[in-house]
Amino acid sequence: MFKALHGMAPPIFSDRIRKKSFPRALRSNDLELLVMPRTECKTLGDRAFALAGPSMWNKLPKTIQMAPNILKNG
């Protein structure tokens, strides 16, 4: 998700990700929440990258979402 949001992933992934916009100034505007599209098929649709990725990203702590880069081990 980090790579898709920061233009480091192939377009097939990054084109499916959208940041949530809020109509007015709210504290939630500070969060990097992603739009979660509706699915009709609860078994397969909920596992799709376009829904599963934003769902997991939105659950991450803000400190991880706002990280400036990806740290690699080793």
Side-chain angles (χ1 to χ4, degrees):
M1 291 309 304
F2 181 90
K3 287 184 176 185
L5 287 169
H6 292 90
M8 296 184 280
I12 193 168
F13 296 115
S14 55
D15 290 350
R16 289 173 167 72
I17 304 303
R18 293 187 329 228
K19 289 184 180 179
K20 195 174 225 181
S21 61
F22 297 95
R24 49 184 188 182
L26 301 170
R27 282 185 293 189
S28 54
N29 284 355
D30 294 339
L31 299 175
E32 290 286 323
L33 297 178
L34 302 178
V35 173
M36 293 178 40
R38 291 181 182 251
T39 59
E40 293 186 23
C41 184
K42 291 296 177 191
T43 55
L44 295 176
D46 289 349
R47 293 185 213 145
F49 174 79
L51 181 71
S55 174
M56 287 188 258
W57 180 263
N58 290 344
K59 293 176 186 176
L60 289 173
K62 184 178 177 183
T63 54
I64 294 175
Q65 290 181 2
M66 301 302 288
N69 57 31
I70 298 174
L71 299 178
K72 294 182 180 180
N73 294 335

